[in-house]
Amino acid sequence: MLKKVVLAVGMIAIPSIAPAQQQPQQQLCQLECTSTEKSERVTRSCHALNATDCTNLGRAETGVGRTCRGYITPNCVQGR
């Protein structure tokens, strides 16, 4: 984003270029759940969460018959 600053030095205007503000990168939470039964199937899903909530989601989704973990990644993989 360009911003113009005018300094009054006689009749001279000096433009100033301010650096663009960087947008924070979207954090994606990859949730991977593995079935602990015979087939050991892995399912994956993606959520827009911070690191703490991502870890807590992995814990919350873990239960009888499956183990889950959540981790932050820039690129999520969907599906199985």
Side-chain angles (χ1 to χ4, degrees), residues 1 7 32 39 79:
M1 175 180 257
L7 299 176
E32 291 185 347
S39 64

Side-chain angles (χ1 to χ4, degrees), residues 8-66:
V9 180
M11 297 297 289
I12 301 171
I14 303 170
S16 174
I17 299 174
Q21 292 180 347
Q22 292 183 345
Q23 297 287 335
Q25 187 175 8
Q26 173 90 24
Q27 288 188 324
L28 298 174
C29 172
Q30 178 79 62
L31 181 67
E32 291 185 347
C33 295
T34 305
S35 172
T36 55
E37 297 174 7
K38 296 177 185 176
S39 64
E40 293 223 4
R41 190 177 86 209
V42 176
T43 57
R44 295 178 180 90
S45 59
C46 190
H47 308 272
L49 297 172
N50 64 35
T52 302
D53 291 341
C54 185
T55 301
N56 289 337
L57 179 62
R59 289 183 186 138
E61 292 293 319
T62 296
V64 176
R66 72 182 195 165

